[in-house]
Amino acid sequence: MMNKGMGIRYSLALCAALMVPKAHAVLSDEQFIGLTESVVDQHVLPRYQALAASSKALSTRVRALCAAKPQASLAEAQQAFIAALQDWQQVQHIQFGPVTLLMRNYSMQYWPDKKNLGGKQLRAALADTNAVYDAAYLQHASIALKGFSAMERLLFTKHAQQLTSGTPTCRLSDGIAQHIATSSAAIVSEWAAERDGMLNASEDSDYYESPEEAATVLFKALVEPVEAIRDSKILAPLGETYDKARWTRSESWRSDQSVPNMVSNVLALQALYQATAPISIKGLLHSVDAPLAAAISEQFAAALAALQAVPQVEGKTVSKEAYDQLKVAERALRTLQSSLLAATRQLDIQLGFNSRDGD
Amino acid sequence: MMEINRRAFLGLLTAAGAVAAMPALANQSRAIPGVYASASRGEDGRYYLNVVAQDALRVTHLLPERAHQVLFHPKQPWVIAVARRPGTFIDIVDYDSGLLVKQIVLAKGHYLYGHVQVTADGRYLLTTEKHPDQQEGQVVVRDLRANFDVVQRYSTGGIGPHELKLTADQSEVVIANGGILTEGREKLNLETMQPSLAYLNLASGKIVEQVALDERYHQSSIRHFDLSANGDVLIAMQYQGHPADDVPLVAHHRRGQPLTALDIPTPVRTQLKQYCGSACFDSTGRFGAVSAPRGNRVMFWDMTSGQYLSDVKTKDGCGLAPTDVASEFIVSTGRGRFYRVNAATAERQRLSLPGEAIWQWDNHMVRLAG
C-alpha cells in the first residue's frame, strides 16, 4: 500500500474548522452520582419494596382463598392482584439491574402475547394432573406462565370458577402468586449490590464504567418508556380508526386495568423526573434550560390528566368516547416524549447510538 | 433458588473465559495497532467517514448522511463509505490526500442496503441494493475503471439483503438475505419473513447454495457475517419476534453443510435484547467475535470446536476488526471508544484515540491490511 498516511489532510483541516467546539460536559461526576443516589434511594428501592409487599399480600390472599378460609373471597384476591399489578406498573420503566437477569422482567409479566402463548401454556399446565406447581416447577416453566399475565387469566376469567380448595387451578394460582412474591423479594435484596455498583462506577467495574454511564440508565428509564406506552399500550389496541380498534390487544383488559396501568406508568415517570431530592432530573435541567424544565412538568400533568379522563373501559370493547380520549392522551405523550428527548440533548446525555438505532 | 447472586452471575459469565490467564494486554501499548476506518457521528451531529491510526485521525470526511459499512480499496489508497439503508450514496475518499475521489449516487428509486465489497483486483465494486421494480434484493456490480458504471445486476435470492462478502478465490459472493421487506425504515413482513444465507456464483449469476435456519426461527434476521479465508461463515442475527423468545442469534456455516446455531450461555443470551451487530474472525480464522451493542458486550467462540469462550463488556460497542495478533480484536463503540479485546483471555484494554473530539463510532469498522 503506497503513501500510507503521508498525505495532506485537506478533509481534516476543513472539518476542524466546521466542527462546533464541544463545551465541557454539562453535568459533573458529582451531579451524576448525586442524581443516581437520590433516584435509587427515593424512587427505585421504595417502589420495589412496595411491589414485594403487595405481591406477598397477593400470595397470602390466594392461599387463603384456596384454603377456603372464612372471609376469604375471590373479590379480595382480585383486589390484591390489582394492587400488586399497579405496583409492578410503577417499576415497569426500570429496565436495568436485577430485574433484567435471566429475563425476569418478562417472567414477571409476559406481554405483549400476540401468539396467545399464555393461554396455551396455562391450558397445558392445568391439563398436567400430576403436576406439583411448586417453586421448582415454576423455575422451569414457560416464561408466559410465571407472572402477572397468567395470574390475571386465573383470577379474572372462567378459570376463577375453579378457584376452590385443592383444585389444580388453585394449586397453580398459589404457585404463581408465590413465584411473583419470591421474585419481587429477590429483586429487592439484589438491589443492595446493584446500588453499590451504580454509586461506585469505575473503568474496570462489572457494573458501570463512569458516574455518567450509571446515570444514563436513569434517563433511558425516563425517556424510552413514553414511546413504548404510546406504541404498545395505546396505538396498537386502538388501530388506525375506531372500527379497527381491538381492545383485547391492550395490556390488562381481563382485569380492566389497561388504562389504570398507564396512569401508574406516567405517575412513576413523573416522579422519576421531579420527585427526588436533593437532586432531580428536573432540577438539573432547570439549571441549563428552565423553560424546558417547567414545560416538561406541565406536559406530565397534561398527559396524566388526559389518561385520568378516559372513561372506564370494561371488558373487550372500548367505547368511542374512551377511544377519542385515549388519542388525546397519546398526543400528550408524544409532546412529552419530544420534550424529554430535547432535555437529554440539553444535558448532553447520550442514550445510545448503535444500541438505539442500529441496522 | 430464585435469587441470583450478582457476583456468582458475573462469575458464571466469565467462567469459560480463562480469567486467570496472563495479563498480557495490560503491558501493551494503548496506541491503536494499525490503521482502521469507520463511519461516525461527530459532536456537531453530522455524519463522517474517519480513518484512525496511532499517530492521527487521518481522514475526517463529511458525508451527506449516515453511512454503514466502510471498506479499504485493495489497490488504491482509497476508503469507501456506503450509505446506511435506505441511502443512495457511496463516497470514495483518498486517505492520503483526504480528497473525494468519487461520489456514486444511485438512480432514482434505487437504494443501498449499506454494505459493499471490492474485488481483489480492485476493479469491481459490489453492493447490495433494492431495485424499484424487484422485491428481491440485488447484488450490483460497478466497474471502477469504466466511470463507476453499473455493469451487472444479480438477484440475491431473497428479500432485504444486507452484508455481502467475496470468497477468497473471488468466484462467489456470499450474501445475508435479512428477509425483511421495508418501506423507508418501516418493516412490513415480519410474520412471513424468510432470511437466508446465499452463495452467488459470479460467473453464472446463479445462486449455487442457499441455507436457512429451521422455519420456527424465521424471524431471526440474517444480517451480518464474516467469512474466513478457509470458508467458515460466522453469522450475527437480529430476532424480530418476542423479546423473551429463546432463539438462535449467532450461527455458523460452511459450503455444503447445514446452518448451525452457536451456543450462547443463557445468562448472556438473555441480556442481548435479541440483537447482534457485527461478526468478525481474528487474523487466524480460529476465533470468532460477535458484538451485541444492546447487550453491551462482545462474545467469543472457538470456531474450530464451535465452543463459546467468553465475553467482555463494551458499552454500545458494535464495530469489530481483527488486529494482526491471533485471538485479538478491536471494538469500536457509540460512546467514542476503541477497545483491544482478546478472545483467548477475555481481556479488555481501552485504547487511546488521537485528538480531543468524541466520535460516536457507527456499526462497522475495518482494518487496513498490510
Side-chain angles (χ1 to χ4, degrees):
Chain A
M1 197 66 58
M2 56 186 176
N3 294 334
K4 201 185 289 176
M6 299 299 288
I8 308 158
R9 287 147 206 159
Y10 291 108
S11 218
L12 177 57
L14 179 65
C15 289
L18 290 172
M19 185 73 86
V20 181
K22 182 144 175 154
H24 290 293
V26 175
L27 300 176
S28 67
D29 277 358
E30 288 68 31
Q31 286 174 306
F32 283 128
I33 293 168
L35 176 67
T36 302
E37 185 167 22
S38 294
V39 169
V40 169
D41 290 349
Q42 297 161 39
H43 183 83
V44 175
L45 296 178
R47 279 175 175 72
Y48 277 124
Q49 284 155 357
L51 174 65
S54 56
S55 52
K56 186 164 194 306
L58 169 62
S59 70
T60 306
R61 295 287 183 202
V62 170
R63 187 157 285 184
L65 176 66
C66 286
K69 291 258 172 74
Q71 282 108 40
S73 70
L74 176 62
E76 270 188 347
Q78 288 175 332
Q79 279 311 308
F81 170 86
I82 286 171
L85 174 67
Q86 291 310 321
D87 282 343
W88 168 249
Q89 295 292 329
Q90 287 257 349
V91 295
Q92 202 182 45
H93 61 297
I94 302 170
Q95 292 292 327
F96 57 91
V99 77
T100 66
L101 298 188
L102 297 171
M103 298 276 180
R104 195 147 54 185
N105 38 3
Y106 296 103
S107 63
M108 286 291 280
Q109 184 194 20
Y110 188 83
W111 187 80
D113 184 5
K114 291 177 187 164
K115 295 175 181 169
N116 192 29
L117 189 64
K120 289 174 200 160
Q121 290 293 338
L122 201 55
R123 274 197 300 280
L126 289 171
D128 182 4
T129 49
N130 294 325
V132 178
Y133 307 108
D134 58 5
Y137 177 92
L138 281 157
Q139 186 78 12
H140 297 101
S142 160
I143 199 160
L145 197 65
K146 298 183 186 198
F148 283 106
S149 302
M151 198 76 235
E152 186 194 37
R153 287 173 188 269
L154 289 164
L155 288 171
F156 291 89
T157 68
K158 61 177 167 42
H159 291 294
Q161 294 159 13
Q162 305 298 318
L163 285 171
T164 53
S165 184
T167 61
T169 308
C170 242
R171 290 187 287 113
L172 179 59
S173 299
D174 183 58
I176 295 172
Q178 297 297 327
H179 186 80
I180 293 172
T182 315
S183 298
S184 303
I187 291 170
V188 170
S189 68
E190 289 166 33
W191 254 98
E194 188 72 24
R195 180 185 187 280
D196 283 350
M198 290 188 83
L199 294 177
N200 296 289
S202 74
E203 194 64 36
D204 296 316
S205 164
D206 291 334
Y207 290 84
Y208 295 97
E209 68 200 15
S210 66
E212 175 255 335
E213 191 203 341
T216 296
V217 300
L218 310 176
F219 284 91
K220 280 174 83 82
L222 175 66
V223 177
E224 292 182 343
V226 179
E227 184 177 10
I229 294 165
R230 284 180 51 222
D231 283 352
S232 305
K233 300 195 180 191
I234 301 182
L235 294 175
L238 293 194
E240 299 270 314
T241 52
Y242 180 61
D243 58 319
K244 298 223 175 94
R246 280 174 59 187
W247 194 244
T248 51
R249 286 183 187 149
S250 77
E251 190 178 17
S252 301
W253 61 273
R254 292 179 181 83
S255 55
D256 297 332
Q257 292 300 297
S258 298
V259 178
N261 286 355
M262 290 188 272
V263 173
S264 290
N265 298 153
V266 178
L267 278 170
L269 295 173
Q270 183 186 45
L272 172 57
Y273 174 65
Q274 62 191 27
T276 59
I279 299 188
S280 68
I281 291 174
K282 182 183 182 181
L284 296 174
L285 181 61
H286 180 84
S287 62
V288 295
D289 190 340
L292 180 60
I296 290 174
S297 279
E298 287 164 18
Q299 290 162 7
F300 263 118
L304 264 177
L307 283 168
Q308 284 163 336
V310 176
Q312 189 172 4
V313 186
E314 289 182 350
K316 298 181 180 182
T317 312
V318 61
S319 68
K320 183 70 169 68
E321 293 71 27
Y323 182 95
D324 290 341
Q325 184 59 30
L326 281 162
K327 288 270 175 152
V328 172
E330 190 275 324
R331 286 192 290 276
L333 288 168
R334 197 187 321 163
T335 305
L336 175 62
Q337 183 186 345
S338 102
S339 295
L340 290 171
L341 283 169
T344 62
R345 287 192 292 274
Q346 290 292 54
L347 293 169
D348 198 20
I349 300 293
Q350 305 291 338
L351 296 180
F353 185 49
N354 297 309
S355 56
R356 263 173 75 81
D357 191 11
D359 207 7
Chain B
M1 189 57 210
M2 301 294 175
E3 185 161 340
I4 303 155
N5 179 286
R6 180 67 182 245
R7 291 283 161 194
F9 171 75
L10 291 163
L12 183 62
L13 297 191
T14 48
V19 190
M22 295 291 286
L25 287 187
N27 301 324
Q28 282 190 31
S29 161
R30 290 184 174 273
I32 293 166
V35 180
Y36 293 83
S38 174
S40 71
R41 182 164 68 185
E43 288 173 353
D44 58 0
R46 293 192 288 181
Y47 296 100
Y48 292 87
L49 164 61
N50 302 88
V51 176
V52 189
Q54 180 174 347
D55 56 332
L57 196 59
R58 295 210 190 152
V59 172
T60 302
H61 169 78
L62 181 64
L63 294 165
E65 287 176 62
R66 188 170 175 184
H68 194 61
Q69 194 201 339
V70 292
L71 186 70
F72 285 107
H73 190 280
K75 300 288 185 191
Q76 301 288 331
W78 295 351
V79 60
I80 303 163
V82 186
R84 185 166 96 128
R85 172 181 68 87
T88 54
F89 70 88
I90 302 166
D91 274 17
I92 303 176
V93 175
D94 184 315
Y95 57 75
D96 286 334
S97 69
L99 294 173
L100 184 67
V101 175
K102 173 76 181 177
Q103 183 172 73
I104 300 168
V105 178
L106 269 60
K108 193 170 163 49
H110 295 249
Y111 67 80
L112 293 152
Y113 283 110
H115 284 271
V116 63
Q117 289 280 277
V118 174
T119 50
D121 61 7
R123 177 159 182 184
Y124 297 104
L125 183 141
L126 284 66
T127 49
T128 43
E129 295 185 20
K130 175 78 172 69
H131 187 287
D133 305 332
Q134 307 288 327
Q135 193 168 68
E136 284 195 350
Q138 294 186 335
V139 169
V140 177
V141 183
R142 288 179 175 80
D143 187 346
L144 301 185
R145 286 194 214 146
N147 197 34
F148 304 87
D149 285 342
V150 173
V151 293
Q152 194 59 264
R153 294 177 178 275
Y154 301 114
S155 174
T156 66
I159 290 171
H162 203 64
E163 189 148 31
L164 76 170
K165 295 266 175 172
L166 282 154
T167 55
D169 68 2
Q170 307 288 296
S171 67
E172 294 175 356
V173 59
V174 189
I175 305 147
N177 283 308
I180 304 175
L181 188 67
T182 50
E183 191 170 308
R185 290 185 62 80
E186 192 189 347
K187 300 164 182 171
L188 303 174
N189 68 334
L190 296 184
E191 297 308 313
T192 57
M193 58 184 283
Q194 296 293 337
S196 66
L197 187 75
Y199 294 77
L200 172 73
N201 183 293
L202 286 169
S204 69
K206 298 273 190 280
I207 304 288
V208 289
E209 183 169 350
Q210 191 163 14
V211 290
L213 288 166
D214 188 282
E215 172 59 27
R216 72 197 138 134
Y217 301 130
H218 80 100
Q219 286 184 309
S220 286
S221 181
I222 298 175
R223 302 186 73 72
H224 295 107
F225 66 94
D226 197 9
L227 175 64
S228 76
N230 56 11
D232 284 307
V233 180
L234 172 64
I235 302 164
M237 294 181 281
Q238 298 170 4
Y239 181 65
Q240 305 294 324
H242 197 282
D245 287 350
D246 180 357
V247 293
L249 294 171
V250 177
H252 168 257
H253 187 250
R254 257 184 106 86
R255 280 296 302 272
Q257 294 179 7
L259 188 59
T260 53
L262 289 182
D263 181 49
I264 306 173
T266 302
V268 177
R269 181 185 56 75
T270 53
Q271 297 286 311
L272 304 184
K273 301 196 169 73
Q274 310 286 34
Y275 187 96
C276 291
S278 298
C280 186
F281 283 100
D282 77 330
S283 59
T284 67
R286 176 179 167 189
F287 294 95
V290 170
S291 61
R294 295 181 185 174
N296 296 309
R297 68 190 71 218
V298 170
M299 303 167 283
F300 304 112
W301 287 262
D302 182 334
M303 298 306 294
T304 53
S305 63
Q307 192 194 348
Y308 187 85
L309 294 176
S310 61
D311 53 84
V312 294
K313 187 187 165 188
T314 49
K315 181 82 176 174
D316 205 16
C318 194
L320 279 175
T323 71
D324 56 9
V325 175
S327 78
E328 207 176 81
F329 301 87
I330 304 293
V331 188
S332 63
T333 83
R335 291 167 62 81
R337 294 181 171 197
F338 274 26
Y339 293 105
R340 186 205 311 261
V341 296
N342 192 311
T345 64
E347 285 179 288
R348 184 194 81 167
Q349 179 196 37
R350 186 176 172 184
L351 300 179
S352 313
L353 285 166
E356 296 295 312
I358 293 171
W359 302 91
Q360 292 185 279
W361 302 115
D362 216 320
N363 293 191
H364 304 297
M365 72 185 314
V366 65
R367 178 172 197 267
L368 180 61

